[in-house]
Amino acid sequence: MSFEKLFSPIKIRELELRNRVVMSAMGTHESAASEDGRMVTDKLIAYHVARAKGGCGLNTIEVCSVDAASAPTGFLSIADDRYIPGMKKLCSAVHAAGGRVAVQLWQGGLAVASDPQAQILLPSDMPLSPEYTVPGITEERIQSVIEAFGQAARRVVEAGIDVIEFHCAHNYLPHSFLSGGINRRTDGWGGSFENRKKFPLACIQAIRANMPEGMPLFMRIDCQDDMLEGGLTIEEVIDFCKCAGDAGVDVLNISRGNILTAATVYEVAPVDIPHGFNVEPAARIRRETGLLTMPCGRINTPEMAEDILMQDKADLVVMARAQLADPEFCNKAKAGKLNSIKYCIGCDQGCYDYFCRCLEDPSLEHITCLRNPAVLEEETMALRPAPQAKKVLIAGGGIAGIEAADALYKRGHHPILCEAGDTLGGQFVLAGAAPRKGDFQRAAYMAAENIRDLGVEIRTNTPVTPALIAAEKPDAVIIAIGSKPIIPNIPGADSGCVVESHKLLAQKDVSAGKAVVIGGGLVGMEVAEFLAGKGSSVTVVEMKDSVLGELGQLRKIGTHMAMAQEDIQVLVNTTCKEIRADEVIVEQDGKERMLAADLVVMAIGSKPVPSQDLQDTCAEAGIPCYVVGDALAAPRLALNAIHEAYRAALSI
C-alpha cells in the first residue's frame, strides 16, 4: 500500500505541509525541568526534532498558557516575552529537520488546579467542595484573557512558528464558556447560545488580529459534550464552527471529552474506545461548515489514516500517540516498512497515566511510552552502534525478549532469541485475546515479524538452560522468561472445573453456563469479559474493596463502561473459601454464600518464573546477566518489562 493521499502535500493559506499527518498537542511535563517550570527545554526540542526527522507533516507543541496568573507549572507558557527565545529555538530546530511547527494557545480553566498557585478561571461559580466554590470570572478578567490570547499570538508569530491552534475543547475556558452544561452566567456572556459564543469568538478575533494574513489558524474543538447535562450538541458545534470560520479559523481539529464526567475517557482514548471514533462526527462537521477538518482519536495505522482521507472524510489526520510510540512512523509508513513500526496500542500507561503521576511525584520528570522508552530521552537513550559486537543470549520470546532483540540488533550485536514454546509474543498475545485489546495482539505479531525481517536468530521450542549457556558461551544474557500463575491454597483449587486465567485466554472455544472468576485485577476482569462475551454468566470474587486496582483512570473508566453491558456481577471484600464440583463457597462481611459454578477461573496474580540457576551459571562464568520484566518481579505492567529490556540492550 502506497498511502499516496496521506503523504501528499496540502496548502493552507500560504503554508504548505509536506503531508497530511499532524502530531497534535500532548502534555509532556518536560517544562517542569526548566528555570520557571514553563519553558522549552533541550529535551523537548530533541523530542520534536525526532518526529520532524521521522517525516511528520506538522508538530504541535503542547498546550501553552496565554495568561500568566493562570499558567500552571509543568505546562509550557507563552504568556510573557521571555518565552519567545525558547519557542524560536525549538521552531528553528524543527525547520532544520524538515518539519513545521504549531503552537496551541491555551487557558486551562479548571485544569490548572494541578498547581495551587495558578488562578482557576471559570465562566460561572463552581462548587468544588461544601466549603469552597470557585467564583466565576469577572468582566475585567474576561477582557484581560481575550487580550492575553492576542498577545500570545503576537509572541508566537515573533518566534517564527508556522501555525497557531486555539484550544476550544476539554473544559478549558473557551469551551467552558461555549457549553451550556458549564456556563451558568446570566449576563451578556451566558444564557443563550449566541451569548455563550461571544468569549471564544472574541479570543479568535484577538488571535487573528495579531497574525499575518498568510498564517493558518487551527482550532481544537469537541464535536459534542458527552455525559454532561445541557452540554454542547453537534448541531451547536457546527453553528459555532461556521462563526469561527468567519472569524478566521482555517482548520478544525475535532476532539471529544470533558474532565467533569466519565467522558474524560475520550480525551486520551484508551484501547477500550473504538478506533477513529471521532471520524464520522468530523466528517459531518466538515460537510456542513466547509472548513478543512482533521479528526483525532485512536488513529494508529497508516492504513486507517489513508482510508479516512480516501473516503473524503477529512483533509488531514491527527496521529499523535502513534508518533510517541515510533518517531519514525511517517518515514516507515511511506517506505512500506509496516512491520518495523512500533504501533501505539492505546494502553495509556506511559502517556496519560505517567502525566498524572508526574503532577504528584516530583521524581518523575516527564511522560514516556510503553512501546518507546526513549520518549523525551532521544539523546540520552538513542540506539547508537555498540563499540564491539557481542553475542547475546535472550531467554524468553515474549514482548520484552522481542524488544531486547530488536534493540540489540540495531546496535550491531548478535542476539539469539530463545523461546521455550513454539510461538513468540507471550502474555502480550494473550492480552490481545481479551475484549477490545486486539491492538496488543497485533503489535506482538508485528514486532515478531519485524525481528524476523531483520534477520535476528530465533529459536523456538528452546528453553535456556545452564547447559545451553555453557555451550553457547554468550557475551551477555538477558532473562525475560516472565511469570507463572499463583495457585492459592484453597480446598478444591486442583479440581477439574478450575482453570488458570492465561490458559483460558489461550482457548478459542470456551463454553460455561455459570463462571466464577477468583481475582478482580486486570486479568480477572478481562477473563470475566471474555467469558461474558461467549454467553457465560460471570461472578468476579475480589478480596479488596475495588477491582482493577492496577489500571490508570481512563482504562478503568473504559473497562467499567464495557462491563456494564455484560452479564458480570462483582463481589468485593469477598474471600473464596472452597471450590466444589458445581459451586464456590465465598465469605463476604462475615457471611458465607454459595455461587453456582460450571467453571472457576484463577486470576489472583503471578510470580516470577525461577531463574536463579541461570543467574548462577552466568555469575560463575563471568557473563553479565540482566533479569527483566516479570522474571524480575511480578505481576507488573508491560511498560516495565519493555523499558527494562531496552535499558539492558543499551548497557551491553
Side-chain angles (χ1 to χ4, degrees):
M1 195 168 182
S2 61
F3 311 115
E4 290 182 8
K5 186 71 172 179
L6 185 62
F7 293 108
S8 64
I10 182 171
K11 189 168 185 180
I12 308 165
R13 293 197 183 231
E14 294 179 7
L15 176 70
E16 182 167 284
L17 302 178
R18 58 184 168 181
N19 60 49
R20 310 298 179 101
V21 180
V22 177
M23 187 176 90
S24 63
M26 293 178 284
T28 66
H29 200 256
E30 170 55 26
S31 63
S34 68
E35 181 181 342
D36 74 346
R38 301 172 180 86
M39 292 180 169
V40 169
T41 67
D42 288 342
K43 281 187 178 182
L44 190 66
I45 292 172
Y47 160 84
H48 279 286
V49 165
R51 275 93 196 148
K53 287 182 176 178
C56 183
L58 179 66
N59 290 37
T60 310
I61 303 172
E62 62 206 73
V63 293
C64 292
S65 297
V66 300
D67 175 68
S70 60
T73 57
F75 297 76
L76 289 176
S77 178
I78 193 67
D80 190 276
D81 286 0
R82 72 177 182 272
Y83 299 113
I84 296 173
M87 289 290 179
K88 186 177 290 186
K89 184 179 177 183
L90 188 154
C91 182
S92 297
V94 171
H95 284 174
R100 296 290 187 176
V101 183
V103 166
Q104 189 179 74
L105 300 186
W106 176 73
Q107 200 298 316
L110 187 61
V112 309
S114 61
D115 181 349
Q117 303 304 313
Q119 183 182 21
I120 299 173
L121 299 177
L122 296 170
S124 47
D125 293 358
M126 180 180 289
L128 295 186
S129 72
E131 297 79 25
Y132 180 63
T133 295
V134 178
I137 188 172
T138 65
E139 175 75 30
E140 181 181 10
R141 283 295 274 139
I142 288 173
Q143 296 299 334
S144 70
V145 172
I146 293 169
E147 174 64 17
F149 271 104
Q151 288 303 305
R154 173 187 61 78
R155 296 182 189 107
V156 169
V157 171
E158 188 174 331
I161 302 294
D162 304 290
V163 172
I164 289 176
E165 182 167 85
F166 170 58
H167 205 318
C168 191
H170 304 167
N171 278 149
Y172 304 141
L173 190 60
H175 169 237
S176 294
F177 262 93
L178 188 63
S179 174
I182 308 169
N183 186 346
R184 312 289 186 187
R185 296 181 76 95
T186 57
D187 61 5
W189 299 98
S192 70
F193 187 53
E194 290 304 310
N195 283 351
R196 300 199 311 270
K197 288 189 290 187
K198 287 180 181 178
F199 176 75
L201 286 175
C203 294
I204 292 169
Q205 290 160 358
I207 292 167
R208 189 78 253 182
N210 284 277
M211 296 172 63
E213 182 63 28
M215 185 179 185
L217 176 58
F218 289 29
M219 179 173 70
R220 190 167 179 89
I221 182 79
D222 284 346
C223 60
Q224 63 190 48
D225 279 339
D226 296 273
M227 308 178 198
L228 186 63
E229 186 178 353
L232 289 169
T233 65
I234 192 170
E235 289 78 16
E236 288 177 320
V237 171
I238 289 167
D239 180 318
F240 173 71
C241 288
K242 289 177 180 178
C243 297
D246 292 340
V249 167
D250 303 295
V251 179
L252 302 174
N253 178 353
I254 304 300
S255 186
R256 195 164 161 189
N258 64 79
I259 60 174
L260 293 177
T261 73
T264 190
V265 73
Y266 297 119
E267 290 190 36
V268 188
V271 67
D272 311 275
I273 305 302
H275 289 108
F277 61 96
N278 287 323
V279 171
E280 292 305 326
R284 178 182 170 186
I285 292 169
R286 178 175 180 261
R287 285 194 307 271
E288 296 188 30
T289 64
L291 292 171
L292 297 177
T293 305
M294 57 186 197
C296 70
R298 298 271 290 131
I299 302 170
N300 64 345
T301 69
E303 295 93 335
M304 190 186 313
E306 179 76 4
D307 188 54
I308 292 166
L309 295 171
M310 290 301 292
Q311 291 187 47
D312 202 31
K313 293 180 177 179
D315 304 282
L316 304 103
V317 179
V318 172
M319 305 188 80
R321 286 181 292 168
Q323 294 182 85
L324 277 187
D326 195 333
E328 288 286 323
F329 180 94
C330 291
N331 285 345
K332 290 176 179 179
K334 189 174 181 180
K337 298 178 179 179
L338 303 186
N339 286 342
S340 70
I341 296 174
K342 295 187 186 299
Y343 292 92
C344 170
I345 57 172
C347 69
D348 277 1
Q349 290 178 21
C351 50
Y352 183 84
D353 293 351
Y354 249 70
F355 188 88
C356 294
R357 290 174 61 191
C358 285
L359 295 175
E360 299 177 358
D361 184 352
S363 70
L364 297 176
E365 297 179 62
H366 49 64
I367 65 167
T368 185
C369 176
L370 179 148
R371 300 300 317 274
N372 179 14
V375 167
L376 287 157
E377 299 293 344
E378 281 74 17
E379 296 294 332
T380 59
M381 295 182 67
L383 292 176
R384 295 184 174 89
Q388 178 185 351
K390 294 181 178 180
K391 181 202 287 189
V392 184
L393 192 63
I394 303 171
I399 194 65
I402 292 170
E403 295 294 353
D406 177 61
L408 288 164
Y409 186 90
K410 288 173 179 174
R411 295 196 64 219
H413 292 305
H414 175 206
I416 303 172
L417 182 63
C418 297
E419 164 57 38
D422 57 3
T423 59
L424 301 183
Q427 292 188 27
F428 226 62
V429 171
L430 289 179
R436 306 181 309 283
K437 288 182 71 177
D439 278 7
F440 281 62
Q441 199 165 81
R442 181 176 184 272
Y445 289 147
M446 297 191 80
E449 283 303 306
N450 173 53
I451 61 170
R452 291 189 182 98
D453 292 345
L454 291 175
V456 170
E457 183 175 350
I458 300 169
R459 303 179 189 176
T460 54
N461 299 306
T462 307
V464 171
T465 62
L468 182 64
I469 293 173
E472 287 293 340
K473 297 181 174 58
D475 297 302
V477 172
I478 295 176
I479 299 173
I481 54 178
S483 59
K484 61 181 181 180
I486 295 172
I487 304 300
N489 186 22
I490 298 172
D494 58 352
S495 63
C497 66
V498 178
V499 64
E500 185 272 316
S501 58
H502 290 149
K503 288 184 179 178
L504 181 86
L505 289 171
Q507 298 177 26
K508 288 185 171 60
D509 298 317
V510 178
S511 177
K514 294 184 180 296
V516 174
V517 178
I518 311 299
L522 173 59
V523 175
M525 302 312 293
E526 288 178 342
V527 166
E529 285 192 77
F530 178 78
L531 290 169
K534 294 182 178 295
S536 296
S537 175
V538 186
T539 302
V540 177
V541 175
E542 171 55 47
M543 293 176 61
K544 298 178 182 177
D545 60 4
S546 64
V547 296
L548 297 169
E550 68 269 52
L551 277 190
Q553 178 193 13
L554 302 188
R555 279 238 52 219
K556 190 176 291 187
I557 292 172
T559 303
H560 277 297
M561 287 169 62
M563 284 170 46
Q565 311 302 314
E566 302 285 358
D567 185 5
I568 299 173
Q569 179 186 15
V570 176
L571 304 178
V572 296
N573 298 312
T574 304
T575 305
C576 178
K577 308 296 289 185
E578 183 181 355
I579 299 169
R580 298 176 182 169
D582 56 359
E583 64 184 10
V584 176
I585 311 300
V586 300
E587 183 178 305
Q588 185 181 47
D589 299 328
K591 297 179 181 179
E592 283 195 355
R593 59 185 290 188
M594 291 179 292
L595 306 175
D598 303 305
L599 175 70
V600 179
V601 183
M602 288 294 177
I604 65 169
S606 59
K607 58 185 178 181
V609 172
S611 64
Q612 195 60 53
D613 58 340
L614 303 182
Q615 296 178 55
D616 290 344
T617 299
C618 290
E620 290 167 8
I623 300 170
C625 177
Y626 306 84
V627 185
V628 304
D630 275 10
L632 178 64
R636 290 190 301 157
L637 299 173
L639 181 147
N640 303 122
I642 291 172
H643 282 223
E644 288 165 4
Y646 188 90
R647 290 191 176 93
L650 284 181
S651 300
I652 296 171

